[in-house]
Amino acid sequence: MNNYVPRLKKVYKETIAPELFKELGYTSVMQIPAIKKVVVSMGVGEALTNKKLLDAAVADISQITGQHAVKTRAKKSIANFKLREGNEVGVMVTLRGDIMYEFLDRLINVALPRVKDFRGIKATGFDGHGNFSLGITEQIIFPEIDFDKITKIAGMNISIVTSARTDAEARALLTKFRMPFRK
């Protein structure tokens, strides 16, 4: 009988959704954009020579997101990189529901302010269909990661998939979530 609701989910339902409904002039509550899922991925190209890096990446992403990450395989061979189809070269996790809201809350309010010389996120990460992607250069900005136990500092990609139809709607949604875009 756990009645816990993530803070960001509660804020979305109580304040963000009604504000977007008024601001964007919708006629139905079903038109209000929402966040569907968040995909966190990390490419580990050096895993071809050192398999322990891939296991460390799985552990790091699992610890950051709170959900077990899966290894991804190369889709095609690239001779210049000594890459063969089927080699494990990355890690990813798809977050939905309460875990997604908890991760977004930590990303926006805790992790991003810890980035060195942070001046905001570039708003160029929209794809034209209302989805937003950003790259992080170090996984150590998350407080869950113990700096002493890191085998290698690596970056990660975060894709936020929304139900918004346009980039303007998605930007309005993420701005209401207090995503720190550059002015």
Side-chain angles (χ1 to χ4, degrees), residues 152-176:
K152 185 176 188 313
I153 291 179
M156 61 178 58
N157 304 316
I158 300 171
S159 296
I160 301 170
V161 179
T162 68
S163 62
R165 283 180 264 131
T166 64
D167 288 347
E169 290 177 357
R171 185 177 174 132
L173 173 69
L174 293 176
T175 303
K176 295 282 185 194

Side-chain angles (χ1 to χ4, degrees), residues 69-123:
V70 296
K71 297 174 184 174
T72 57
R73 297 180 179 274
K75 292 184 179 171
K76 60 183 185 178
S77 301
I78 302 173
N80 290 346
F81 298 118
K82 296 182 179 138
L83 180 65
R84 298 287 164 255
E85 184 178 338
N87 286 357
E88 292 178 335
V89 291
V91 175
M92 69 162 286
V93 63
T94 302
L95 305 172
R96 291 183 173 88
D98 290 350
I99 295 175
M100 172 189 73
Y101 283 107
E102 288 292 338
F103 174 76
L104 276 176
D105 198 4
R106 281 191 326 250
L107 174 71
I108 294 168
N109 298 315
V110 179
L112 287 177
R114 291 177 60 162
V115 175
K116 292 179 219 158
D117 298 330
F118 185 66
R119 293 190 182 99
I121 297 173
K122 292 181 185 176

Side-chain angles (χ1 to χ4, degrees), residues 32-52:
I32 301 171
I35 297 176
K36 289 182 180 177
K37 65 181 176 180
V38 175
V39 179
V40 182
S41 61
M42 182 186 289
V44 190
E46 294 175 22
L48 295 172
T49 56
N50 187 356
K51 294 289 183 192
K52 289 183 181 179

